[in-house]
Every structure is written in structure tokens, then in C-alpha cells.
Amino acid sequence: MDFEACRRAFLTRDPRFDGRIFGAVRTTGIYCRPICPARTPKAENMTFYPTAAACQEAGYRPCLRCRPESSPDLGAWRGTSNTVSRALALIEAGAMDAGDVDALASRLGVGERQLRRLFRQHLGASPVAVAQTRRVLLAKQLIQETLLPMGEVALASGFGSVRRFNETFQQLFGRPPGALRRSRAEEASAAAAGITVRLPYRAPYDWAAMIGFLAARAIPGVESVTARRYARTLSVDGALGVVTVSPGAGNFLVAEIRFPKVQALPAVIARIRRVFDLTADPALIGDHLSQDPALASLVAARPGLRAPGAWDGFELAVRAILGQQITVTAARGLAAKLVEAYGARVDDPFAASLGLTRAFATPDQLVGQDIAALGMPKARGAALEALARTVASDPTIFTPRADLESAIAALKALPGVGEWTAQYIALRELREPDAFPQADIGLLRGMADEAGVRPSPAELLERAEAWRPWRAYAAQHLWAADADQPSKTTDAKTGEAKRTKTDADHQRAA
């Protein structure tokens, strides 16, 4: 944290540093974003921190004007410490709500002291402080952006009790949480009316590419996609709900969430942020990938391209297995049959108005079923049933591991999952920024030389070493460019290129 550089960012209110640094003021006890409209304090009164959690652990409270909870949550340190990245993903999914640092460290395959040291080094705060800050800032956002009753805000933001919620806000802000609500309008129940939250990101954001990716894979009855809105049913801890996501008027997405259990809200928001890749820093990633001339033009053409995530690991694995050796359209058709046969029915007028009638089948719903009867090879149906049985016995299979290699090894042990599928699941579900399915036909074609000669998977893997730790984003750029290229033959063997294009579609049918 270079003091003069941070100070200049605050003096100029430079939006490029929003989410990267936070400034704390000793005389007021408040911390702010670089874009705060308030008068910049004297230099001798300021201290700078890399995260909001570090500010709060140092005893500062968030500014009510610039609202640090609405700043983009950037993972600029990702790649420097993938262990911290994986730990934050687990914390955002609620790992610290019912566990402790030791349990979190065990899930990541590191010692508790090592995890604490890494958090101090890269975030300037402890895992407990990060989890507490996450709860406080989410609660503050819900107070100021929704009309949820305070009791529901406490539950929805992960506080164990309303008393603890009130004590935390009284201690942090010197006032009860209700005093932070600007409007005294009648409070509404989230279960009855749903809530709407803004989820910020670092611009630019290629919404067209994201919505196009999701639309091509949308399962009828489960997902509904238009040019300006994505909607789907979702199951969290046995509760069924509906989420819709659309682009906002600024650098944020607007999510409308309708769930019968407000306690599910943090997990739902975490999934939305994961699927739409809202923590990415496109400038950081683009600058690194652009050092390779083969990728520079692709990055320049799509500076806001993201790597779409997955809503659920089991769902993604099922989609990937269904898509083996068939087209994207055929895979969608099989997924729709599977959902219609085994997925839970969603009886909600709002969902019905969007064309949403089913939730994706859970592992328990597929155990013991003759899935091949839906119209697929018996071996594939058996693989899906075996996958469901395995995941039902161990629901933690699709959670981050100690490193990418151990995650791939664990995924490849699943029925029907090979190297390509494992890398794909790691990329979309585990959010591994360095996952890279090097044998993908589309990637090989995207790296062909001027004569049309493609590298071998081993050669591509060696070339991709320079792209670390952002190989997943390099793959996304190559896939996007490949999708824009029409199929064409390159020699007298007519149809060869067309077959290759279809193979690439098969591999990406998930």
C-alpha cells in the first residue's frame, strides 16, 4: 500500500481504484471508497487498507455516503494466493456461518495458522473478520435497498440472532440498524414480495456475451432468457425459489430474489455473483493476457468478457455428461426431459408468468432411476445414476480443494467425468481461474497458425503457461472467437471443418 499513490487516488476520486483500496480516517473512525463525495481528509489523518474487512478489523466503520458495501468486490490478488481465493469463495457461500477457521482450513488442505497468515498477507484481515464484514455489509445493503423487516435482515445476512445483529450495529455505527433506513415506508416480507439488490462489478461488462452463453444452454421450464433478463428456478437447502438478473443503469446488475427462506439469501447472492463472474477484474486479466499477440486482439475485441459460472456443481456435471457426443440443442432437449421426469414442480404464479415450472433434479431424485429410458445410451444413463449416488453420499464434492490439481483428481474420480469435463467443472463451478481444458477442439482451432495447422494438446498446454494464472479467461476468449467463425473446409476433404465445429459444440454442451 503506497501511501502517496493511494492518497492521489482519493484526491482525484479515481474510479479505477474503487474496490482496490479503502481509506480510513482516524479522527472520525470512518472508512471510505476512493470515489467518496465527501471532502478528502488531511493526509496525516488517513490510513489505507486493501479490503473493507481490514478497515473494520482495525476498528473503523463504513461511510454512510459512499457505502463501501456497494463497491465492486475485486479479486485482484487472485493468482497470488489461490488458497485465499478458494477460502473467500467458501466464506461467501456461508462456510463461516456454521463453522470456524480450523474447519475452513481443513477443507482447503492447509493448517489454521497458515490460512490466517495468508489472509493477513493478502487481505490485511483474519478469516473471522472477513466473514463478519461480509455479514455487516450485506445487512447494511439490505437495510438501505430493501424494505425487509429488521428481523428478516438479520437472518438474511447470516447473523445467528436478532440480538447479535442489533449489538453489532450499535457497536459499529453507534445507532440501531433501523436508524440506517432512509425510508420509513411500510416494511414488506421477502417471502411474499421478493427483494431486489444491486450487485456491482468492475466495468466493462460484456452482458451480450454472458446472456448469449446462458441462452444457448437454457433448459426449458428451469430457465428463461431474453436479451435483457435471465430468470431461473433455484433450490437452496431444500427451499425452491426464483431469481431474475438484468443489467442495471450503472456498473451493476439488478437481481430480484424470491425465496420462502430469507436465510438462503447470502447463498443465493453468492451463486449469482459466481454465475455472472462479478468479482473479476477485466483490466488486470486483460493486461496479462494481452502480452501474448495471439490473444491481444481477442481481448481488445471483448474487454468485458467474463467466464460464466455454474449454479450448482451437480447440475453442471449432469449437463456435461448429457452433452457428450451430441449437439448443444440435443443436450438441452435431454436435460428438459430429465427435469420434467424427476425435477420438483414449482407452484408459483410469478415463476409461471416467466415460463418457469420446474427445478433441476437433485441427486436424491435421480438415485435408482432408469435415466437411459429418457432416450440416451444405457452407459450414459448409468453414469448419471452413479454420479447422483456418489454426490448424494458426499455433497461436498463440488467445493474448492487445496489446489487445482487435487480438484481435478477428485472430479475425475466421479462416474462419467474425464479430463475435459473435470477442467470444465473446475472452471465454471469451482471458479478456478487457471482451469484449462487443453484438449478442447475449439481451443486448438483458435490457436491454429496461418496455414491452419493446429497445435497438439501438449503444445497448447505449453503455450498456455504464459497465460497463468488466467488460463480460464484465455479459454473463454478463444471459445468466443471460435463461435464467431463460420464452419469452412480447409482442404479437399469436404466436411472436415464442419465435423470439427460439431465436436467443439459437443464438448461445450454444458
Side-chain angles (χ1 to χ4, degrees), residues 253-487:
L253 300 184
V254 177
E256 183 178 353
I257 304 169
R258 301 169 67 94
F259 256 80
K261 294 168 57 178
V262 293
Q263 295 93 327
L265 189 59
V268 174
I269 291 177
R271 294 193 192 192
I272 296 173
R273 288 163 56 83
R274 181 177 69 194
V275 170
F276 289 88
D277 198 15
L278 299 184
T279 62
D281 186 343
L284 177 74
I285 299 169
D287 287 346
H288 180 77
L289 296 180
S290 294
Q291 295 175 25
D292 188 323
L295 297 179
S297 60
L298 303 184
V299 173
R302 288 185 167 85
L305 189 68
R306 308 295 170 114
W311 292 99
D312 176 77
F314 176 70
E315 176 182 326
L316 180 64
V318 169
R319 286 171 175 254
I321 294 174
L322 285 175
Q324 292 171 355
Q325 304 305 315
I326 60 176
T327 64
V328 172
T329 302
R332 287 178 58 194
L334 278 178
K337 289 182 180 180
L338 184 144
V339 168
E340 184 64 28
Y342 306 115
R345 180 173 292 279
V346 177
D347 296 317
D348 181 286
F350 177 75
S353 69
L354 299 173
L356 306 177
T357 59
R358 297 274 183 176
F360 196 87
T362 65
D364 290 334
Q365 290 168 334
L366 296 186
V367 171
Q369 303 293 343
D370 181 14
I371 303 174
L374 297 176
M376 69 186 74
K378 290 185 178 180
R380 192 168 305 155
L384 288 173
E385 197 278 337
L387 174 70
R389 190 178 300 277
T390 302
V391 177
S393 64
D394 183 9
T396 66
I397 285 176
F398 298 108
T399 56
R401 305 276 170 161
D403 51 48
L404 176 59
E405 289 71 25
S406 60
I408 295 299
L411 292 172
K412 287 172 66 175
L414 295 173
V417 176
E419 176 69 22
W420 185 94
T421 305
Q423 292 283 352
Y424 191 72
I425 293 173
L427 191 159
R428 294 196 57 197
E429 169 64 16
L430 305 186
R431 305 310 289 146
E432 289 284 352
D434 210 31
F436 191 69
Q438 70 271 13
D440 182 86
I441 298 297
L443 300 184
L444 297 174
R445 181 169 49 232
M447 291 303 296
D449 61 21
E450 295 180 357
V453 178
R454 304 170 193 160
S456 67
E459 291 171 337
L460 178 60
L461 191 61
E462 183 179 357
R463 174 71 177 272
E465 279 296 308
W467 304 341
R468 286 181 178 271
W470 308 112
R471 294 186 303 179
Y473 291 88
Q476 204 66 44
H477 277 287
L478 290 170
W479 280 333
D482 181 59
D484 290 342
Q485 298 298 320
S487 297

Side-chain angles (χ1 to χ4, degrees), residues 163-182:
R163 178 180 179 180
R164 177 60 179 158
F165 168 69
N166 289 330
E167 288 177 349
T168 298
F169 271 76
Q170 188 68 48
Q171 180 181 12
L172 188 60
F173 295 98
R175 66 192 78 179
L180 299 178
R181 179 160 282 169
R182 297 174 182 173

Side-chain angles (χ1 to χ4, degrees), residues 13 16 25 75 148-149 157 161 214 246 259 272 319 334 484 486 495:
R13 293 180 171 81
R16 295 176 300 172
V25 186
L148 280 177
S157 52
S161 68
L214 296 174
S246 57
F259 256 80
I272 296 173
R319 286 171 175 254
L334 278 178
D484 290 342

